[in-house]
Amino acid sequence: MYNTTGFTRDEIIELCAMINAAELEPETKLWPPILGLFRSAVVTLTYMRRNRVQAEIAESSGVSQPTVSRAISAMTSIIKKVLAPYVPTADELEENMQYIIDGTLLPCWSWAARPELYSGKHKTTGMNIQVACDLAGRLAWISDPADGSRHDSYCMDESGVLITMDPSNWAGDKGYIGHGMITPFRKPAGSEHLDWQKEFNTQVNKLRYVIEQVIANFKTWRIMHTDYRRPIETFPTTISAVIALHFYKIA
């Protein structure tokens, strides 16, 4: 079970206990009775962790594909709500901590009707999230998703994280130039970097492997790095649910 969901049986039982004890709104759509809470949780975690085709999950679970679809739809929203307290907000970042910042694209199908999701940098469609960790590689914060066409600089502004924080000792790549962070120097037009600028850039870029590892660990949830196939309007909720599960897992 751990290899397909990323959680042990006991951890899934604990999650189910939290869901069962939660005060859900009367209009909340619940999991299919034929699966029950535990199996619906397993189905949903398997889908998110492995991004398996729903028909395949249905076959191995002994139910129909529409039943699996209903389970995933209901459980995704419930997980997002129940685990929300585990997700740090921007104002919970420590004021004097040095953070490393980077953005990443979470891909989805090429939705022709949604050109705002197309990222020219990545040459595919998806949604952008901003990620912060400390120098030790501990994940500290993940932003809400934004349209994939938006650059990291815009997404950072929209996240609100800089409203009350001083980022002067934070580190980021060239996409954050102009935000008061420690960033590499851009190559001057028609000339080369000075030797000290090259060395500075080298040292800044060495820090980036930490945030890259953090992002790679988050993307062990395959739903976050392989094309999202469910209706596009469900993608932000799925992203938020996976973020909640990830923070819950590492808490």
Side-chain angles (χ1 to χ4, degrees):
M1 184 173 294
Y2 178 83
N3 291 327
T4 55
T5 67
F7 287 79
T8 65
R9 182 180 182 85
D10 287 345
E11 288 173 331
I12 297 175
I13 290 173
E14 181 181 350
L15 174 61
C16 289
M18 292 174 60
I19 292 172
N20 202 44
E23 295 183 4
L24 302 176
E25 289 79 7
E27 65 274 14
T28 300
K29 292 183 179 179
L30 299 180
W31 48 91
I34 192 173
L35 281 174
L37 175 54
F38 179 81
R39 291 179 66 200
S40 293
V42 171
V43 160
T44 304
L45 292 172
T46 299
Y47 171 73
M48 292 177 175
R49 178 66 72 174
R50 298 300 177 192
N51 198 12
R52 291 171 60 189
V53 177
Q54 291 183 13
E56 181 183 303
I57 299 175
E59 186 176 274
S60 61
S61 301
V63 294
S64 67
Q65 183 274 327
T67 297
V68 167
S69 180
R70 289 197 300 273
I72 292 171
S73 178
M75 292 297 292
T76 299
S77 297
I78 292 172
I79 287 170
K80 174 187 174 182
K81 173 181 173 57
V82 171
L83 297 185
Y86 287 88
V87 182
T89 58
D91 57 7
E92 292 180 74
L93 292 174
E94 297 181 34
E95 188 171 345
N96 297 318
M97 180 71 72
Q98 184 171 14
Y99 292 109
I100 309 171
I101 302 290
D102 201 3
T104 189
L105 188 77
L106 310 179
C108 63
W109 278 2
S110 297
W111 298 89
R114 300 290 298 273
E116 71 276 12
L117 298 182
Y118 183 77
S119 168
K121 176 181 177 180
H122 297 277
K123 308 301 181 186
T124 190
T125 48
M127 303 200 79
N128 180 301
I129 58 169
Q130 301 294 295
V131 183
C133 73
D134 63 19
L135 295 180
R138 288 184 289 266
L139 176 64
W141 170 77
I142 299 178
S143 73
D144 291 332
D147 291 341
S149 62
R150 298 295 189 176
H151 296 291
D152 287 337
S153 178
Y154 174 90
C155 295
M156 180 60 65
D157 287 336
E158 286 297 298
S159 73
V161 70
L162 300 182
I163 293 177
T164 59
M165 300 294 291
D166 176 10
S168 58
N169 66 339
W170 296 10
D173 63 18
K174 294 176 185 177
Y176 300 100
I177 289 177
H179 284 77
M181 300 183 193
I182 301 169
T183 59
F185 287 100
R186 281 202 178 107
K187 185 177 179 180
S191 62
E192 298 291 333
H193 286 126
L194 300 174
D195 288 343
W196 71 269
Q197 291 176 318
K198 292 180 182 178
E199 178 59 25
F200 179 86
N201 284 4
T202 297
Q203 295 305 317
V204 173
N205 289 332
K206 282 181 178 179
L207 293 175
R208 296 195 65 246
Y209 88 93
V210 178
I211 188 67
E212 289 170 356
Q213 286 182 331
V214 168
I215 291 174
N217 187 42
F218 173 68
K219 287 190 172 183
T220 56
W221 295 90
R222 288 183 60 83
I223 199 74
M224 297 289 95
H225 77 90
T226 53
D227 280 351
Y228 185 75
R229 294 185 293 265
R230 292 180 64 217
I232 192 61
E233 62 269 14
T234 68
F235 198 17
T237 300
T238 298
I239 293 170
S240 296
V242 173
I243 290 173
L245 282 164
H246 192 67
F247 275 109
Y248 171 69
K249 180 68 175 176
I250 66 177

